């Protein structure tokens, strides 16, 4: 472990010039030691136990315990082979870029994490499902993968053991739906990406009908450090009982938008005031979406809530991806909500009626209100949609997720909605984020 990675395992080995570390540089910083330890000193089940003990939870947004997810994989001689391990690097949510930062900043960390996870799950093929627009990440990953094959960290009989792994990068066609893991499997199989009914779960019937486990980029990048340094060390990085660090990002009219690796449980106030340098001159904090476009707005009174999976619900929202987008007092909240709903309505796959018809309807109503053409009854229609597209009403979580920012906007910004409708105009100079 180097001084850089001791407190910041995800970003501590980033190069100052922004280039990705070469294999030699990565190894000098302790890279591939976690893989060596796993292959030479641990059985696959022991690796899963260590990850479970670390408290690592999925960083793609859902927060499911990673070790528990791995434990669902059928193991041993009786399990059907081949098995697959996939990495979701699609990252299509507006404002989200943390996984790109990791892939561009240290691609070997992701490769090592995938090799360790594949060993733990007895998978012989691994695939990175990459957002089509991430050209720089793709180039860096491909170079690092070639280096890893040359160094025998991928390929046949890795490090002289009987474990072999093929790793592929697949650039996706780019739909938000593919962020849902079963949909991602369908896309990888070359079919139109509709979600699938579960059960059967992916660990039983995943890619091409074979046992598959999928994790997010940030989740996987934690694995080498957990295996190398142990679960207790990893838990010690956090301020809460959820292990490790988190790559938080903040965007909006703050002094220094960016991404920071901080202890899990850092508050939004610290993010805003210490790391993002506070609001830009002339702007005040009004609200924020804390965890990506499908999370509820939080207000100033929620700034001191710890940003982890268990604590964030106290604010009425979710940690999600930890991608904070700040809404200032000079930006129209109706315009902001409209742009979010417009995104979701474009990304609906059209499978179920409430989502296919409801989301464009919501977007049209919000557009009308924003343009000063709203009617008093629009508020009731929007509230009805929040119920009709809510949890359990549609086939997948896209529509219920889209209702989270809308529901909270109707609650927190009701005065703004009514003023737009009453005065038949937008009272802000600039709409949207
Ligand atoms: S909720 Fe929307 S995105 Fe999900 S299956 Fe239904 S139509 Fe498709």
């Amino acid at each position: 472990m180097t001084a850089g990675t001791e407190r910041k395992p995800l970003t501590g080995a980033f190069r100052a010039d922004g280039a990705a570390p070469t294999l030699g540089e990565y190894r000098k910083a302790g890279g591939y030691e976690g893989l060596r330890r796993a292959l030479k000193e641990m059985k696959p089940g022991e690796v899963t136990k260590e990850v479970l003990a670390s408290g690592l939870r999925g960083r793609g947004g859902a927060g499911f315990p990673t070790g528990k997810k791995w434990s669902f994989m059928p193991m041993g001689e009786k399990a059907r082979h081949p098995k697959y391990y996939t990495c979701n690097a699609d990252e299509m949510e507006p404002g989200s870029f943390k996984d790109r930062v990791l892939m561009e900043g240290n691609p070997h960390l992701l490769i090592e994490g995938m090799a360790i996870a594949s060993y733990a799950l007895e998978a012989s093929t691994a695939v990175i499902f990459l957002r089509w627009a991430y050209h720089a990440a793709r180039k860096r990953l491909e170079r690092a993968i070639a280096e890893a094959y040359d160094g025998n960290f991928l390929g046949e009989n890795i490090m002289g053991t009987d474990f072999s792994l093929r790793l592929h990068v697949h650039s996706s066609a780019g739909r938000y739906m593919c962020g849902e893991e079963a949909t991602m499997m369908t896309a990888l199989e070359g079919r139109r990406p509709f979600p699938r009914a579960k059960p059967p779960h992916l660990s039983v019937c995943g890619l091409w009908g074979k046992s598959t486990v999928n994790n997010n980029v940030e989740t996987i990048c934690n694995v080498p450090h957990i295996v190398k340094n142990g679960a207790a060390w990893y838990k010690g990085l956090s301020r809460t009982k959820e292990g490790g660090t988190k790559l938080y990002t903040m965007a909006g009219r703050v002094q220094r938008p960016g991404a920071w690796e901080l202890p899990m449980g850092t508050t939004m106030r610290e993010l805003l005031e210490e790391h993002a340098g506070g609001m830009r001159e002339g702007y005040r904090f009004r609200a924020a979406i804390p965890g990506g476009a499908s999370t509820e707005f939080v207000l100033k009174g929620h700034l001191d809530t710890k940003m982890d999976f268990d604590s964030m619900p106290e604010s009425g929202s979710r940690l999600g991806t930890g991608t904070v987008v700040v809404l200032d007092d000079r930006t129209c909240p109706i315009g902001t909500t409209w742009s979010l709903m417009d995104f979701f309505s474009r990304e609906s796959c059209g499978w179920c009626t409430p989502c296919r018809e409801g989301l464009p309807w919501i977007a049209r109503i919000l557009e009308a209100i924003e343009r000063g053409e709203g009617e008093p009854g629009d508020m009731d229609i929007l509230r009805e949609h929040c119920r009709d597209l809510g949890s359990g009403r549609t086939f997948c979580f896209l529509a219920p997720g889209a209702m989270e920012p809308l529901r909270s906007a109707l609650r927190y910004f009701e005065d703004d909605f009514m003023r737009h409708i009453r005065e038949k105009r937008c009272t802000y100079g600039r709409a949207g984020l």
Side-chain angles (χ1 to χ4, degrees):
M1 191 171 10
T2 65
T5 56
E6 193 177 345
R7 303 306 300 171
K8 297 190 176 188
L10 299 176
T11 61
F14 277 18
R15 280 175 46 153
D17 64 0
T22 61
L23 176 61
E25 289 166 335
Y26 183 68
R27 292 196 68 192
K28 209 169 160 193
Y32 289 109
E33 277 304 304
L35 180 62
R36 190 202 58 74
R37 176 158 188 250
L39 296 186
K40 307 268 187 181
E41 299 172 21
M42 300 168 86
K43 293 194 171 70
E46 290 171 342
V47 177
T48 298
K49 270 192 194 146
E50 194 74 34
V51 172
L52 188 61
S54 74
L56 174 65
R57 292 175 65 167
R59 305 292 201 247
F64 192 79
T66 305
K68 198 167 178 184
K69 192 174 195 179
W70 291 11
S71 71
F72 297 150
M73 178 65 108
M75 297 290 289
E77 286 178 7
K78 286 190 180 156
R80 284 191 309 144
H81 289 266
K83 297 194 274 185
Y84 298 109
Y85 183 64
T86 57
C87 166
N88 182 353
D90 201 31
E91 197 165 50
M92 270 283 289
E93 199 143 86
S96 186
F97 59 96
K98 68 183 178 67
D99 293 339
R100 178 172 62 79
V101 167
L102 291 173
M103 288 186 286
E104 290 182 9
N106 198 353
H108 277 292
L109 184 60
L110 177 63
I111 294 165
E112 184 183 0
M114 291 194 71
I116 295 171
S118 299
Y119 170 71
L121 298 162
E122 299 174 338
S124 53
T125 303
V127 184
I128 299 171
F129 188 88
L130 184 68
R131 182 174 175 179
W132 69 274
Y134 283 2
H135 304 297
R138 176 164 189 139
K139 273 192 194 148
R140 290 180 181 202
L141 277 167
E142 283 175 343
R143 193 192 77 172
I145 288 170
E147 285 180 328
Y149 273 109
D150 285 347
N152 192 220
F153 301 112
L154 289 174
E156 301 300 314
N157 303 108
I158 296 172
M159 293 181 172
T161 66
D162 58 6
F163 173 63
S164 301
L165 180 70
R166 310 300 299 174
L167 174 59
H168 307 274
V169 179
H170 175 93
S171 276
S172 81
R175 291 309 302 257
Y176 178 68
M177 284 297 302
C178 297
E180 195 280 316
E181 57 187 12
T183 312
M184 193 186 104
M185 300 299 145
T186 313
L188 272 175
E189 290 167 0
R191 295 185 287 131
R192 187 170 174 171
F194 285 131
R196 294 185 194 173
K198 291 188 217 166
H201 291 286
L202 297 183
S203 57
V204 178
C205 183
L207 196 53
W208 291 294
K210 300 292 196 298
S211 292
T212 307
V213 166
N214 173 65
N215 290 128
N216 159 266
V217 172
E218 187 185 350
T219 315
I220 299 168
C221 286
N222 282 283
V223 169
H225 297 284
I226 292 169
V227 173
K228 189 170 66 162
N229 304 314
W233 165 83
Y234 186 73
K235 282 191 138 176
L237 295 175
S238 169
R239 289 191 194 166
T240 67
K241 66 178 173 26
E242 295 173 26
T245 58
K246 175 82 192 81
L247 196 56
Y248 297 104
T249 68
M250 185 166 265
R253 290 196 175 80
V254 294
Q255 297 277 4
R256 295 187 298 271
W260 306 273
E261 183 183 1
L262 298 167
M264 181 62 102
T266 299
T267 66
M268 200 182 302
R269 185 184 300 284
E270 287 171 85
L271 265 191
L272 175 65
E273 294 177 0
E274 291 174 29
H275 302 285
M279 297 299 293
R280 269 165 51 184
E281 199 68 33
Y283 294 90
R284 280 188 293 190
F285 178 94
R286 180 159 187 206
I289 294 174
S294 59
T295 56
E296 301 215 8
F297 283 98
V298 296
L299 301 178
K300 210 168 186 170
H302 302 131
L303 281 176
D304 293 314
T305 310
K306 287 189 168 76
M307 290 188 70
D308 66 20
F309 291 104
D310 284 340
S311 308
M312 278 306 287
E314 292 166 18
S315 69
S317 193
R318 298 186 294 122
L319 176 66
T321 54
T323 301
V324 185
V325 181
V326 172
L327 176 71
D328 60 83
D329 61 333
R330 290 168 59 181
T331 299
C332 179
I334 319 301
T336 301
T337 312
W338 167 29
S339 74
L340 292 172
M341 294 305 120
D342 189 48
F343 167 78
F344 285 119
S345 88
R346 274 186 280 115
E347 293 298 329
S348 168
C349 79
W351 184 267
C352 36
T353 311
C355 175
R356 182 183 64 238
E357 305 295 332
L359 286 173
W361 191 0
I362 290 170
R364 280 200 302 275
I365 291 175
L366 290 170
E367 180 180 7
I369 296 174
E370 178 65 8
R371 293 191 190 287
E373 297 158 8
E375 304 287 339
D378 287 347
M379 294 295 281
D380 289 336
I381 298 174
L382 291 173
R383 289 195 181 99
E384 273 170 35
H385 275 90
C386 287
R387 282 191 296 275
D388 294 345
L389 275 71
S391 197
R393 301 293 185 101
T394 54
F395 194 73
C396 86
F397 193 71
L398 185 141
M403 291 308 97
E404 293 190 23
L406 176 64
R407 190 179 299 117
S408 54
L410 291 169
R411 185 166 63 241
Y412 295 140
F413 311 128
E414 186 175 1
D415 288 351
D416 285 286
F417 277 97
M418 295 315 295
R419 201 164 51 245
H420 277 68
I421 292 169
R422 213 173 35 244
E423 297 185 18
K424 297 217 166 290
R425 67 188 181 101
C426 175
T427 51
Y428 294 81
R430 191 179 177 140
L433 287 171

